[in-house]
Amino acid sequence: MESALPTPGLSKAEGQATVEAQNWKLLKYFNFYRLAIAIAASAIAVFIGKYSPFGEVHPGLFLSSSVVYAIISLTAVFAIHWRKPDYESQATLLSFSDITLLTIVMHASGGLASGLGLMLVVAIAGTSLMLGKRLTIFYASLATIAVLLEHSWSWLTGASGAENEMMQGFPQVGLFGIGLYATAFFGYLLATRLRATEELAQRRGVDVANLTQLNELVIQRMQSGVVICDPQGSIRLINQSALKYLGIHNEADKKSSLNEISPDLAIQLFQWLGNNAVNRGRKVFTSPVGYTLLPRFVSLGDKNAVKLIFLEDMAILKQQAQQLKMAALARLTASIAHEIRNPLGALTNAAQLLGETMDTDNAEEKRLVKIIEEQSKRMNVIVQNVTQLSRRDRINPVQLELDSWLEDFLRQYSETVSVPRDAFVADDIHDIKVCVDPDQLYQVISNLCQNALRHSPPFTGTPLIKFQGGRDGEDRPLVDVIDWGAGVNPDIADNIFDPFFTTTPKGTGLGLYIARELCEGNGASLNYYPGEGGVGSRFRVTFVRAEDCAELGTL
C-alpha cells in the first residue's frame, strides 16, 4: 500500500502514527457511506418490496445481498474502531465486498440499465483513495470483469434469446469498464496530489513551529529584558531576563498586569502611548528588586496592537560604555608608556654611569645625580602602573567564595609586606559568593591594603585592617576594607580616585585610580566612606552577583 510519507521535522514513529491515523479516519468515513447505502437498500427491500428499479428482477436476491452488505458494513464499524485486523487487510476485504455485493445488487435490479452501476464507480473511487496503485488497478479490473459476468449471466445460464441481448449491450459494458479504469486512474492521481499537498502543509506547519520555538528560545536567552503586553498593560510574554529584573518568581505573576508588577514601568508605558510628546521620553527607574533599568518601547502594528518593551540594565550599559572607553585608553596609554620607557631607561643608565665617573668630593653633583636616579625610578613606577591599565579590559570573571579567597590572599600578602597575619581580621565574610577576575581582585585589595598600612601606625598587636562583608540594598555582595589610621581629609575626599592625585611626595597617584578602574572593568564599584567617628577610612568594593557571572563574561 502506498501512503503519505512521514512528516519532515517529526520523528519516524510520529510520522507513521500520523499517516496511520489519517488512513483509519478515511476508512471510517467511507464505511459510513457504505453502511448508509446498505441500510437504505435493506429498508427498501423489507418495507417497500419492489420499487423500480431496486430488486425489480430478483427481489429475494436483492434483499439477501442488501442485508449481507449491511451486516458486513456494521461489523466493519467495530473492526475499524478497534483497528483489528490491520488497515490494509480491512480496506482490501471491504473493497472486495463492495464490488461483489454491489454487482449482485445491480444484477438483481436489472443490470447496467438500472443505473446502480454508478455505485461501483464510487466504490472504485474510494478504493483509489484508500489503497495503493496496484490494488486500485486490480479492483478496477475485478469490477470490470464482474460487470461483464453480470451482463453475460443470462447467456451463460442458457436463457433463450440472451445472445442477441448480450451482443447489443457489450458497447455499454465496454464504456462502463473504461469509466471504471478512468475513475481508478484519476482517483489515484487525486489521492497522490492530496497526500503531497497534505505533506507540504505539515512540513510548513513544522517549519513554522520550529521557527516559533527558535524565536522563543532566542528571546528567552536575550540579555535584555523583553516584555510583550497589550495597550491595557496585561502581559502576554516575558523572557527570563525580564523576570529577573522585575523580581517575578511565581507562574501566576507572569500573566499579571504590568501595573501590579512594576508601577513605574506601567506609568512610562501609558505616557508613551499618550499623545503628550513631552512625557514620551525614556526614564531610568528602579525595579522592586533593586535593578536600575532603562526601558525602550516599540509598537507592533497599530495603536491597538501589542507593545514590545525592552529593559536594559543600566549597570551593564555603563559597564559596556566604560569598557569601550577604557579599551581605547588602555591602547593609548600602553603605547605612550612604551615610548617613555626607552628614553627613561637611557636616562637611568646615563645617571648611573655619570655617578661612577664623577668626582667623589663634589657633593652638589652627587645630589643632582641622586635626584635623577630617584625621579627615574618614580617615572618607571608610573609607567608600570599605566601599563596595568592595558589589562583592565581583559577580564576572566569567575564565581569566588570570598572567605576562602581572602584567607589565601592575606597569607600571601602578609608574607610579601612582612606584616604579621594578626594585623588583618575578617568579619561576616562567610557564605558570600562574588563574580570577579581573581588576579585583578588581588591587585585591587593589595592596593587598598598598601594605602591602609601606609597611613596606619606600626603593628603592636592590635589589628590594623578589617575586612567586613555584607550586602547592599540591591542584594549585591560587598566587602569593606577598614583601617584606623589618619583617614582622608574631607576637603580632598572627592579627588582621591583622580589619576596622579597623591598626598605623599613619593606616591604616583595611580593606585586608587587603577583599583577603581579594575573594579569597574569587573562590573564592580569602589567607593570611599569616612571611618566611624571620623577615625580611619572605609573603602567599599561592591561586586556583581554570582548568578550574573555568565552575563559579565559575555561583555
Side-chain angles (χ1 to χ4, degrees), residues 151-167:
H151 180 69
S152 306
W153 187 255
S154 297
W155 176 75
L156 292 175
T157 56
S160 60
E163 182 176 357
N164 292 332
E165 184 180 354
M166 179 186 67
M167 297 302 294

Side-chain angles (χ1 to χ4, degrees), residues 457-473:
F459 177 68
T460 59
T462 303
L464 300 179
I465 299 176
K466 178 181 179 181
F467 296 90
Q468 177 75 46
R471 294 185 177 273
D472 66 0

Side-chain angles (χ1 to χ4, degrees), residues 330-344 379-380 382-388 390:
R331 290 191 294 269
L332 175 63
T333 54
S335 61
I336 292 175
H338 178 73
E339 294 298 327
I340 292 176
R341 177 170 290 174
N342 291 333
L344 182 61
M379 286 296 298
N380 188 56
I382 294 176
V383 170
Q384 290 177 350
N385 289 334
V386 168
T387 55
Q388 290 176 355
S390 64

Side-chain angles (χ1 to χ4, degrees), residues 181-202:
Y181 276 105
T183 301
F185 173 76
F186 288 110
Y188 178 78
L189 182 63
L190 176 62
T192 303
R193 293 291 181 89
L194 289 176
R195 290 187 182 112
T197 303
E198 185 176 7
E199 179 185 343
L200 179 61
Q202 289 179 345

Side-chain angles (χ1 to χ4, degrees), residues 325-531:
K325 180 188 73 174
M326 290 309 301
L329 180 60
R331 290 191 294 269
L332 175 63
T333 54
S335 61
I336 292 175
H338 178 73
E339 294 298 327
I340 292 176
R341 177 170 290 174
N342 291 333
L344 182 61
L347 287 175
T348 302
N349 292 333
Q352 291 176 351
L353 293 174
L354 183 61
E356 294 174 357
T357 59
M358 70 180 182
D359 188 359
T360 57
D361 295 332
N362 193 330
E364 182 64 20
E365 290 182 358
K366 286 184 176 181
R367 186 180 68 83
L368 293 176
V369 170
K370 185 177 181 181
I371 290 175
I372 295 175
E373 291 178 345
E374 289 180 350
Q375 295 303 317
S376 296
K377 291 180 180 179
R378 184 184 179 198
M379 286 296 298
N380 188 56
V381 172
I382 294 176
V383 170
Q384 290 177 350
N385 289 334
V386 168
T387 55
Q388 290 176 355
L389 289 175
S390 64
R391 300 196 302 269
R392 181 233 190 248
D393 61 325
R394 299 194 296 268
I395 65 172
N396 183 27
V398 297
Q399 293 187 9
L400 286 181
E401 293 284 352
L402 192 57
D403 54 350
S404 60
W405 180 90
L406 186 60
E407 186 62 33
D408 293 339
F409 167 80
L410 293 178
R411 177 178 51 79
Q412 298 176 22
Y413 184 77
S414 60
E415 294 175 357
T416 302
V417 298
S418 301
V419 176
R421 172 64 179 81
D422 295 339
F424 307 92
V425 294
D427 189 19
D428 294 335
I429 303 296
H430 298 288
D431 299 329
I432 293 182
K433 295 182 68 174
V434 299
C435 178
V436 71
D437 187 319
D439 295 333
Q440 296 187 3
L441 178 61
Y442 187 98
Q443 186 175 349
V444 170
I445 300 300
S446 61
N447 276 340
L448 296 179
C449 290
Q450 183 179 353
N451 279 347
L453 292 175
R454 183 184 300 128
H455 296 90
S456 297
F459 177 68
T460 59
T462 303
L464 300 179
I465 299 176
K466 178 181 179 181
F467 296 90
Q468 177 75 46
R471 294 185 177 273
D472 66 0
E474 298 180 7
D475 198 37
R476 292 183 299 181
L478 59 87
V479 61
D480 290 339
V481 182
I482 305 170
D483 67 79
W484 295 275
V488 178
N489 190 325
D491 295 335
I492 63 173
D494 295 334
N495 306 109
I496 59 176
F497 292 105
D498 294 342
F500 304 107
F501 179 83
T502 180
T503 57
T504 59
K506 296 184 179 181
T508 63
L510 289 174
L512 289 177
Y513 170 72
I514 293 175
R516 171 174 274 188
E517 291 301 319
L518 291 176
C519 285
E520 292 182 353
N522 284 270
S525 61
L526 175 61
N527 298 286
Y528 164 77
Y529 300 94

